[in-house]
Structures are given as C-alpha cells and as structure tokens.
Amino acid sequence: MTKTSKREKAWSGNRMVVHGLQDAVKLVKANATAKFDESVEIAVNLGVDPRHADQQVRGVVSLPSGTGRDVRVAVIAKDAKAEEAKAAGADIVGAEDLVERIQGGFLEFDRVIASPDMMALVGRLGKILGPRGLMPNPRVGTVTPNVGQAVKDAKGGAIEFRVEKSGIVHAGVGKASFTEEAITANVRALMDALSKAKPSGAKGVYVKRVSLSSTMGPGFKVDTATLGA
C-alpha cells in the first residue's frame, strides 16, 4: 500500500477524471485551503524530446491577469540604460558591482535583465544563474536594449517558460484568490504561447497532458480540447 501525501488527502474524488478547464479551475480554488494565498500551477506534458536542439520549447508570455506576486527584478546595465531601468521600477541595478555581488552569493531577485553591451560581464554568471533559470537570454527578452520595457513587462505579469528534460513545462498562472475568469485567461494565454513556440522537430501530439493544482492542493487533469480561447 502506497503512502498518501497531504496534497492527495485533500481530494477524495476520482483522480483519473479529466475535467474541462473551467471545472478544473473551480476545483483548484475549492481545494486551496491553506492559510496563505496559494499559487495556481500548471504542468503541461509536451510531445517533445528536449535532448534534441530542434525540440526545445522556450519563451515568454504576458499573463493578462498578472501573476499575483511581486517580482524582484535585477538589471545589469550602466549609464543611461541603468537610469532607464531604475525609472521603470527595477529593484536592483548595477554593472560590475552587481556581477560581483552575485558571484559572492547575492540572489535576492526573481528575474535578471541585461543590456546587450553587458553580456561579456553576464557571461561570468552562467554557472550561478543558469541552473536557476535566471540567465539573461535574448530569446526570451531578458537581453535587450529596451531594458525599461523589459522591467515593466516583468513587473506586470510576464513569465518565462521552458521545457524540462522530462518534456514538461511548469508555470505559475496566478493565485487561488484570483477569480475563475482571471485564472482561466492566464491559462489560455500560456497555452497559446506554447502553441506558437511549437518547435520544428515536434512530431505527433504536441500537447499530451495538462494538469492544474495549487501549492498545497491536489492536481486535476484538464481536457486539452477545452484550453483554446
């Protein structure tokens, strides 16, 4: 007999049932009973093999309802670009000094943005930021000459997504306190972005399985046919 986790105990229904998106969102909210505002998380199993270069899935999407969390943004830039980042609301701004702080163990941020002229410096941080998914990358808009807009996007609900080795994309799509409509809109925005990011090497069924859960609640399978607009 297998052990039952606290998350599983919270739901006594049939775990094999596949729910429409709206019903799944209702169930997630109803089972988010922790004493804090739980995050709503999505797991999307894609029909790709990330070991192949032509089957990578990565991008950025602006969630229409926001993320419900305060994103701490660090910007590696200098001179006019540094001032632009500060004016846009960046939490930490610096150049060589910030790189040295990060090398020394400072990691009090959720997103790192860099201007293109700083990439020689940023390259030193690959072993620190890379494993944490924080390394600036032009493909997802975190290496850009328009640092001010990138900061505003990050603060306003833009999230990065990236397929893991197992072929799954995990992402936060809001908070349990959000309305059902707000969570649904965020899920559909992410799914649309994943669809547009479909790699050339993907064969067969692209979106295989999807589930929604809250931080401490059980997961609910979602009918992929209900994920469109």
Side-chain angles (χ1 to χ4, degrees):
M1 182 176 178
T2 58
K3 292 184 178 179
T4 303
S5 69
K6 290 182 180 179
R7 172 178 285 207
E8 290 171 329
K9 287 178 182 177
W11 170 248
S12 58
N14 187 341
R15 299 185 181 285
M16 300 308 293
V17 172
V18 178
H19 306 274
L21 175 57
Q22 292 182 338
D23 287 340
V25 170
K26 288 180 181 178
L27 286 166
V28 168
K29 282 176 61 66
N31 284 272
T33 57
K35 293 181 180 179
F36 62 93
D37 191 7
E38 298 180 48
S39 294
V40 177
E41 302 161 3
I42 191 169
V44 184
N45 190 315
L46 298 175
V48 299
D49 184 347
R51 293 175 297 179
H52 301 290
D54 64 348
Q55 295 189 47
Q56 293 291 317
V57 180
R58 186 175 186 180
V60 63
V61 58
S62 290
L63 300 180
S65 308
T67 62
R69 57 191 290 257
D70 181 23
V71 179
R72 300 167 299 174
V73 180
V75 177
I76 301 174
K78 62 182 181 180
D79 302 329
K81 293 300 178 184
E83 294 306 314
E84 180 183 329
K86 291 175 183 176
D91 298 275
I92 308 119
V93 181
E96 290 89 347
D97 57 328
L98 180 52
V99 169
E100 289 176 3
R101 286 180 69 192
I102 295 171
Q103 288 177 315
F106 176 73
L107 292 168
E108 299 299 316
F109 45 77
D110 307 298
R111 186 77 55 85
V112 183
I113 295 166
S115 58
D117 60 317
M118 292 285 101
M119 288 313 294
L121 279 173
V122 174
R124 304 176 190 172
L125 304 175
K127 291 183 179 179
I128 299 171
L129 300 181
R132 294 173 171 81
L134 294 171
M135 190 67 178
N137 189 307
R139 289 180 58 191
V140 295
T142 47
V143 176
T144 173
N146 193 353
V147 294
Q149 187 60 50
V151 171
K152 291 177 182 177
D153 289 344
K155 289 285 190 179
I159 63 166
E160 293 182 40
F161 58 84
R162 183 176 186 177
V163 68
E164 299 171 359
K165 292 180 181 179
S166 57
I168 297 174
V169 171
H170 286 100
V173 288
K175 294 286 188 176
S177 60
F178 281 20
T179 64
E180 294 172 15
E181 293 77 14
I183 296 171
T184 297
N186 280 355
V187 169
R188 286 184 167 148
L190 174 64
M191 295 307 300
D192 182 59
L194 285 174
S195 177
K196 291 176 179 176
K198 181 179 179 179
S200 60
K203 307 297 181 185
V205 178
Y206 179 51
V207 178
K208 298 171 71 175
R209 289 180 296 278
V210 177
S211 67
L212 276 178
S213 65
S214 61
T215 305
M216 302 300 292
F220 298 96
K221 297 179 186 296
V222 182
D223 181 358
T224 58
T226 67
L227 292 169

